[in-house]
Short mmCIF file of all heavy atoms in Angstrom, two decimals:
data_model
loop_
_atom_site.label_atom_id
_atom_site.label_comp_id
_atom_site.label_asym_id
_atom_site.label_seq_id
_atom_site.Cartn_x
_atom_site.Cartn_y
_atom_site.Cartn_z
N LEU A 62 5.52 -11.85 7.49
CA LEU A 62 6.07 -10.53 7.16
C LEU A 62 6.74 -9.98 8.42
O LEU A 62 6.09 -9.83 9.46
CB LEU A 62 4.95 -9.60 6.70
CG LEU A 62 5.31 -8.14 6.43
CD1 LEU A 62 6.30 -8.02 5.28
CD2 LEU A 62 4.05 -7.32 6.13
N ALA A 63 8.04 -9.72 8.32
CA ALA A 63 8.81 -9.20 9.46
C ALA A 63 8.61 -10.06 10.70
O ALA A 63 8.45 -9.55 11.82
CB ALA A 63 8.44 -7.75 9.73
N GLY A 64 8.59 -11.38 10.50
CA GLY A 64 8.50 -12.31 11.60
C GLY A 64 7.12 -12.52 12.18
O GLY A 64 6.96 -13.19 13.20
N ARG A 65 6.10 -11.99 11.50
CA ARG A 65 4.72 -12.07 12.01
C ARG A 65 3.82 -12.54 10.89
O ARG A 65 3.94 -12.09 9.75
CB ARG A 65 4.31 -10.67 12.48
CG ARG A 65 2.93 -10.53 13.08
CD ARG A 65 2.78 -9.08 13.50
NE ARG A 65 1.48 -8.76 14.02
CZ ARG A 65 1.08 -7.51 14.33
NH1 ARG A 65 1.92 -6.48 14.16
NH2 ARG A 65 -0.13 -7.30 14.79
N ALA A 66 2.91 -13.46 11.19
CA ALA A 66 2.01 -13.99 10.16
C ALA A 66 1.26 -12.85 9.48
O ALA A 66 0.77 -11.92 10.14
CB ALA A 66 1.02 -14.97 10.78
N MET A 67 1.17 -12.92 8.16
CA MET A 67 0.51 -11.86 7.39
C MET A 67 -0.91 -11.61 7.89
O MET A 67 -1.36 -10.45 7.95
CB MET A 67 0.49 -12.24 5.91
CG MET A 67 -0.14 -11.22 4.99
SD MET A 67 0.91 -9.77 4.71
CE MET A 67 2.01 -10.44 3.44
N THR A 68 -1.62 -12.65 8.25
CA THR A 68 -3.01 -12.51 8.69
C THR A 68 -3.13 -11.77 10.01
O THR A 68 -4.23 -11.31 10.37
CB THR A 68 -3.66 -13.90 8.82
OG1 THR A 68 -2.85 -14.72 9.68
CG2 THR A 68 -3.79 -14.57 7.46
N GLN A 69 -2.03 -11.61 10.74
CA GLN A 69 -2.07 -10.92 12.03
C GLN A 69 -1.76 -9.43 11.92
O GLN A 69 -1.83 -8.70 12.91
CB GLN A 69 -1.08 -11.58 13.00
CG GLN A 69 -1.44 -13.01 13.35
CD GLN A 69 -0.43 -13.65 14.28
OE1 GLN A 69 0.58 -13.05 14.65
NE2 GLN A 69 -0.69 -14.89 14.68
N TRP A 70 -1.43 -8.98 10.70
CA TRP A 70 -1.10 -7.57 10.53
C TRP A 70 -2.37 -6.75 10.27
O TRP A 70 -3.09 -7.03 9.31
CB TRP A 70 -0.17 -7.38 9.33
CG TRP A 70 1.27 -7.73 9.59
CD1 TRP A 70 1.86 -8.93 9.38
CD2 TRP A 70 2.28 -6.85 10.09
NE1 TRP A 70 3.19 -8.87 9.72
CE2 TRP A 70 3.48 -7.61 10.16
CE3 TRP A 70 2.30 -5.51 10.47
CZ2 TRP A 70 4.67 -7.06 10.61
CZ3 TRP A 70 3.49 -4.96 10.92
CH2 TRP A 70 4.66 -5.73 10.98
N PRO A 71 -2.65 -5.71 11.06
CA PRO A 71 -3.71 -4.77 10.68
C PRO A 71 -3.35 -4.12 9.35
O PRO A 71 -2.17 -3.95 9.02
CB PRO A 71 -3.69 -3.74 11.82
CG PRO A 71 -3.06 -4.46 12.98
CD PRO A 71 -2.05 -5.39 12.37
N ALA A 72 -4.36 -3.76 8.56
CA ALA A 72 -4.13 -3.29 7.19
C ALA A 72 -3.17 -2.11 7.12
O ALA A 72 -2.26 -2.07 6.28
CB ALA A 72 -5.46 -2.94 6.54
N ARG A 73 -3.36 -1.14 8.01
CA ARG A 73 -2.50 0.06 7.94
C ARG A 73 -1.07 -0.27 8.32
O ARG A 73 -0.12 0.22 7.69
CB ARG A 73 -3.05 1.15 8.85
CG ARG A 73 -2.24 2.44 8.79
CD ARG A 73 -2.83 3.53 9.64
NE ARG A 73 -1.91 4.65 9.79
CZ ARG A 73 -2.10 5.67 10.60
NH1 ARG A 73 -3.21 5.73 11.34
NH2 ARG A 73 -1.21 6.63 10.68
N ASP A 74 -0.88 -1.10 9.33
CA ASP A 74 0.47 -1.50 9.73
C ASP A 74 1.15 -2.26 8.60
O ASP A 74 2.33 -2.07 8.33
CB ASP A 74 0.42 -2.35 10.99
CG ASP A 74 -0.04 -1.57 12.21
OD1 ASP A 74 -0.03 -0.33 12.15
OD2 ASP A 74 -0.41 -2.21 13.20
N ARG A 75 0.40 -3.15 7.96
CA ARG A 75 0.95 -3.92 6.84
C ARG A 75 1.36 -2.99 5.70
O ARG A 75 2.39 -3.19 5.05
CB ARG A 75 -0.06 -4.94 6.35
CG ARG A 75 0.46 -5.86 5.24
CD ARG A 75 -0.63 -6.79 4.76
NE ARG A 75 -1.66 -6.05 4.03
CZ ARG A 75 -2.88 -6.51 3.79
NH1 ARG A 75 -3.26 -7.69 4.27
NH2 ARG A 75 -3.74 -5.79 3.11
N ALA A 76 0.55 -1.95 5.48
CA ALA A 76 0.83 -1.01 4.39
C ALA A 76 2.10 -0.21 4.63
O ALA A 76 2.70 0.29 3.68
CB ALA A 76 -0.35 -0.06 4.20
N ARG A 77 2.52 -0.08 5.87
CA ARG A 77 3.79 0.58 6.16
C ARG A 77 4.97 -0.35 5.95
O ARG A 77 6.09 0.11 5.75
CB ARG A 77 3.80 1.10 7.60
CG ARG A 77 2.91 2.30 7.84
CD ARG A 77 3.23 2.97 9.16
NE ARG A 77 2.85 2.16 10.31
CZ ARG A 77 1.72 2.28 10.99
NH1 ARG A 77 0.83 3.20 10.62
NH2 ARG A 77 1.46 1.51 12.02
N GLN A 78 4.71 -1.65 6.00
CA GLN A 78 5.78 -2.64 5.86
C GLN A 78 5.97 -3.11 4.43
O GLN A 78 7.04 -3.59 4.07
CB GLN A 78 5.47 -3.86 6.74
CG GLN A 78 5.51 -3.60 8.23
CD GLN A 78 6.91 -3.35 8.73
OE1 GLN A 78 7.85 -4.02 8.30
NE2 GLN A 78 7.07 -2.40 9.62
N LEU A 79 4.92 -2.98 3.61
CA LEU A 79 4.92 -3.59 2.29
C LEU A 79 4.26 -2.66 1.29
O LEU A 79 3.10 -2.30 1.44
CB LEU A 79 4.19 -4.93 2.36
CG LEU A 79 4.27 -5.88 1.17
CD1 LEU A 79 4.03 -7.31 1.65
CD2 LEU A 79 3.24 -5.53 0.12
N ALA A 80 5.02 -2.25 0.27
CA ALA A 80 4.49 -1.40 -0.80
C ALA A 80 4.29 -2.24 -2.06
O ALA A 80 5.07 -3.15 -2.34
CB ALA A 80 5.43 -0.24 -1.09
N TRP A 81 3.24 -1.89 -2.82
CA TRP A 81 2.81 -2.74 -3.93
C TRP A 81 2.52 -1.88 -5.15
O TRP A 81 1.92 -0.81 -5.05
CB TRP A 81 1.55 -3.49 -3.49
CG TRP A 81 0.66 -4.02 -4.57
CD1 TRP A 81 -0.49 -3.43 -5.03
CD2 TRP A 81 0.80 -5.24 -5.30
NE1 TRP A 81 -1.06 -4.22 -6.01
CE2 TRP A 81 -0.30 -5.33 -6.19
CE3 TRP A 81 1.73 -6.27 -5.28
CZ2 TRP A 81 -0.46 -6.40 -7.05
CZ3 TRP A 81 1.57 -7.33 -6.15
CH2 TRP A 81 0.47 -7.39 -7.01
N LEU A 82 2.96 -2.34 -6.31
CA LEU A 82 2.60 -1.72 -7.58
C LEU A 82 1.98 -2.80 -8.45
O LEU A 82 2.65 -3.78 -8.80
CB LEU A 82 3.82 -1.12 -8.28
CG LEU A 82 3.55 -0.51 -9.66
CD1 LEU A 82 2.61 0.69 -9.56
CD2 LEU A 82 4.85 -0.11 -10.34
N SER A 83 0.70 -2.63 -8.80
CA SER A 83 0.02 -3.67 -9.57
C SER A 83 0.33 -3.54 -11.05
O SER A 83 0.79 -2.50 -11.53
CB SER A 83 -1.50 -3.58 -9.36
OG SER A 83 -2.03 -2.50 -10.09
N GLN A 84 0.06 -4.59 -11.78
CA GLN A 84 0.28 -4.62 -13.22
C GLN A 84 -0.60 -3.60 -13.92
O GLN A 84 -0.19 -2.97 -14.89
CB GLN A 84 -0.02 -6.03 -13.74
CG GLN A 84 0.38 -6.26 -15.18
CD GLN A 84 0.16 -7.71 -15.59
OE1 GLN A 84 -0.68 -8.41 -15.04
NE2 GLN A 84 0.92 -8.16 -16.56
N GLN A 85 -1.82 -3.39 -13.42
CA GLN A 85 -2.75 -2.45 -14.04
C GLN A 85 -2.45 -1.01 -13.68
O GLN A 85 -2.90 -0.09 -14.35
CB GLN A 85 -4.19 -2.79 -13.64
CG GLN A 85 -4.71 -4.09 -14.24
CD GLN A 85 -4.17 -5.30 -13.53
OE1 GLN A 85 -3.77 -5.23 -12.36
NE2 GLN A 85 -4.17 -6.44 -14.21
N GLY A 86 -1.68 -0.78 -12.61
CA GLY A 86 -1.38 0.58 -12.20
C GLY A 86 -2.61 1.33 -11.75
O GLY A 86 -3.12 2.20 -12.45
N GLU A 87 -3.14 0.98 -10.58
CA GLU A 87 -4.42 1.51 -10.12
C GLU A 87 -4.30 2.97 -9.66
O GLU A 87 -3.56 3.28 -8.77
CB GLU A 87 -4.99 0.64 -8.99
CG GLU A 87 -4.24 0.67 -7.66
CD GLU A 87 -2.87 0.08 -7.72
OE1 GLU A 87 -2.74 -1.13 -7.59
OE2 GLU A 87 -1.90 0.87 -7.86
N ALA A 88 -5.00 3.84 -10.33
CA ALA A 88 -5.15 5.25 -9.94
C ALA A 88 -5.92 5.92 -11.06
O ALA A 88 -5.59 5.79 -12.23
CB ALA A 88 -3.80 5.93 -9.75
N GLU A 89 -6.94 6.63 -10.71
CA GLU A 89 -7.78 7.29 -11.69
C GLU A 89 -8.08 8.71 -11.23
O GLU A 89 -7.80 9.10 -10.10
CB GLU A 89 -9.10 6.51 -11.88
CG GLU A 89 -8.93 5.06 -12.36
CD GLU A 89 -8.38 4.97 -13.76
OE1 GLU A 89 -8.46 5.97 -14.51
OE2 GLU A 89 -7.87 3.89 -14.12
N GLY A 90 -8.69 9.47 -12.12
CA GLY A 90 -9.19 10.78 -11.74
C GLY A 90 -8.32 11.93 -12.18
O GLY A 90 -7.18 11.76 -12.63
N ASP A 91 -8.85 13.10 -11.99
CA ASP A 91 -8.18 14.33 -12.40
C ASP A 91 -7.39 14.88 -11.22
O ASP A 91 -7.70 15.93 -10.67
CB ASP A 91 -9.25 15.34 -12.87
CG ASP A 91 -8.62 16.52 -13.60
OD1 ASP A 91 -7.58 16.32 -14.26
OD2 ASP A 91 -9.15 17.64 -13.48
N ILE A 92 -6.37 14.15 -10.83
CA ILE A 92 -5.57 14.49 -9.65
C ILE A 92 -4.15 14.84 -10.08
O ILE A 92 -3.60 14.24 -11.01
CB ILE A 92 -5.58 13.32 -8.64
CG1 ILE A 92 -4.78 13.67 -7.38
CG2 ILE A 92 -5.07 12.04 -9.27
CD1 ILE A 92 -4.92 12.61 -6.29
N ALA A 93 -3.57 15.81 -9.42
CA ALA A 93 -2.22 16.24 -9.77
C ALA A 93 -1.21 15.16 -9.41
O ALA A 93 -1.37 14.42 -8.44
CB ALA A 93 -1.88 17.54 -9.03
N VAL A 94 -0.16 15.09 -10.22
CA VAL A 94 0.86 14.07 -10.04
C VAL A 94 1.45 14.09 -8.63
O VAL A 94 1.59 13.05 -7.97
CB VAL A 94 1.97 14.25 -11.10
CG1 VAL A 94 3.24 13.50 -10.70
CG2 VAL A 94 1.48 13.78 -12.47
N ALA A 95 1.80 15.28 -8.14
CA ALA A 95 2.40 15.37 -6.81
C ALA A 95 1.47 14.82 -5.75
O ALA A 95 1.91 14.17 -4.78
CB ALA A 95 2.78 16.81 -6.49
N ASP A 96 0.17 15.02 -5.92
CA ASP A 96 -0.80 14.51 -4.94
C ASP A 96 -0.92 12.99 -5.03
O ASP A 96 -1.17 12.33 -4.02
CB ASP A 96 -2.16 15.17 -5.15
CG ASP A 96 -2.17 16.63 -4.76
OD1 ASP A 96 -1.37 17.00 -3.87
OD2 ASP A 96 -2.96 17.41 -5.34
N VAL A 97 -0.76 12.45 -6.23
CA VAL A 97 -0.76 10.99 -6.37
C VAL A 97 0.40 10.40 -5.57
O VAL A 97 0.23 9.42 -4.82
CB VAL A 97 -0.64 10.57 -7.85
CG1 VAL A 97 -0.47 9.06 -7.98
CG2 VAL A 97 -1.87 11.02 -8.63
N VAL A 98 1.57 10.98 -5.72
CA VAL A 98 2.75 10.46 -5.02
C VAL A 98 2.59 10.64 -3.51
O VAL A 98 2.99 9.78 -2.72
CB VAL A 98 4.03 11.14 -5.53
CG1 VAL A 98 5.26 10.58 -4.82
CG2 VAL A 98 4.17 10.95 -7.04
N ARG A 99 1.95 11.73 -3.10
CA ARG A 99 1.74 11.96 -1.66
C ARG A 99 0.85 10.89 -1.03
O ARG A 99 0.91 10.67 0.18
CB ARG A 99 1.12 13.34 -1.43
CG ARG A 99 2.09 14.49 -1.72
CD ARG A 99 1.50 15.85 -1.39
NE ARG A 99 2.44 16.90 -1.73
CZ ARG A 99 2.27 17.76 -2.75
NH1 ARG A 99 1.16 17.69 -3.50
NH2 ARG A 99 3.18 18.68 -3.00
#
């Protein structure tokens, strides 16, 4: 990923480089839409 082995990326740094949307669409609870996007 970006020239660096995936296993060498700390989780938070990787999360800034790669966004993911799963098939199941993970998110639950009584949370406002704007807060979900935030």
Side-chain angles (χ1 to χ4, degrees):
L62 175 64
R65 182 179 176 186
M67 181 75 81
T68 54
Q69 296 178 358
W70 282 92
R73 182 177 169 188
D74 293 344
R75 184 183 69 198
R77 288 194 291 263
Q78 293 290 319
L79 191 155
W81 159 261
L82 177 64
S83 76
Q84 189 175 26
Q85 290 77 24
E87 69 294 276
E89 300 294 341
D91 192 33
I92 181 173
V94 163
D96 290 332
V97 173
V98 181
R99 290 184 182 110

